[in-house]
Amino acid sequence: MTTASDIVGFWRDSGPERWFSGGDAFDGECRTRFLEAHLLAARREFEHWLADAEGALALVLLLDQIPRNVFRCSGHAFATDGLARHYASRALTLGFDAQVDLNLRSFFYLPFEHSEDMADQERALELFSRLPAGGDRWARLHYDIIRRFGRFPHRNAALGRETTSEERAFLAEGGFRG
């Protein structure tokens, strides 16, 4: 059985280079190690992990980050985003973000940055502004895309959405693909 410590330890040890551009090998490792735990978390079977900061972080990682690796380029990569935001909100109310290492704190904020709702984007900007200078760079980029398009154009194919000509031009010019 995977524990919260297993998840947080793996994520911490993987580091930023693998978190955001780990490639097929990292995706495969996430799938092998954490797919079952992700599915259990999606069924709310780890709700009790909200008792402490490490458990809450593990839960948010399982519902926000792990599916982006395990289900890359499919709609399921985003299927648990709402639940990740729910748990992140609860964790923030409990002050758990301040109880984890600064390098991991942003993972409590990412579910809001990943949302296509403008209010969540505004919350992400506020949360990321708490980090050291420059920590809000990606949050600003996400915010600007939602302000401009009302959604993330790079998700359209995976979610079966029609891409507008403006979105197509944005993507063709190298627009954000994260």
Side-chain angles (χ1 to χ4, degrees):
M1 178 68 126
T2 301
T3 67
S5 294
D6 294 335
I7 296 159
V8 172
F10 168 80
W11 204 256
R12 181 187 53 248
D13 295 345
S14 294
E17 193 167 307
R18 292 183 79 199
W19 294 339
F20 302 113
S21 57
D24 292 340
F26 186 63
D27 289 355
E29 190 172 0
C30 288
R31 186 176 307 105
T32 299
R33 293 185 68 170
F34 303 117
L35 175 59
E36 183 179 345
H38 162 75
L39 296 172
L40 291 168
R43 292 193 304 261
R44 300 179 79 131
E45 294 187 29
F46 292 145
E47 183 117 2
H48 62 281
W49 284 6
L50 281 174
D52 61 58
E54 181 180 59
L57 178 58
L59 194 53
V60 171
L61 288 169
L62 280 176
L63 296 167
D64 185 68
Q65 293 299 302
I66 294 299
R68 282 169 166 71
N69 295 99
V70 171
F71 303 109
R72 189 173 303 281
C73 299
S74 81
H76 194 79
F78 318 111
T80 55
D81 281 6
L83 191 54
R85 273 192 312 282
H86 167 76
Y87 286 131
S89 287
R90 289 177 60 189
L92 292 171
T93 298
L94 295 167
F96 288 158
D97 59 324
Q99 295 177 33
V100 300
D101 183 270
L102 183 61
N103 293 329
L104 297 174
R105 191 170 300 167
S106 63
F107 291 101
F108 282 119
Y109 308 159
L110 281 173
F112 304 100
E113 181 180 302
H114 290 154
S115 174
E116 293 185 327
D117 179 82
M118 200 64 195
D120 289 333
Q121 288 296 318
E122 290 167 358
R123 187 170 188 193
L125 286 177
E126 187 275 319
L127 291 166
F128 276 97
S129 74
R130 299 176 186 178
L131 298 177
D136 63 348
R137 174 179 171 230
W138 293 104
R140 290 197 175 286
L141 176 64
H142 285 76
Y143 173 89
D144 289 343
I145 293 169
I146 296 301
R147 187 174 43 120
R148 180 174 174 188
F149 299 109
R151 61 189 187 173
F152 293 115
H154 65 277
R155 293 183 185 175
N156 289 348
L159 295 174
R161 302 188 301 209
E162 200 66 34
T163 300
T164 68
S165 57
E166 184 182 5
E167 290 172 334
R168 195 172 296 107
F170 170 75
L171 293 171
E173 293 167 5
F176 182 73
R177 303 214 183 263

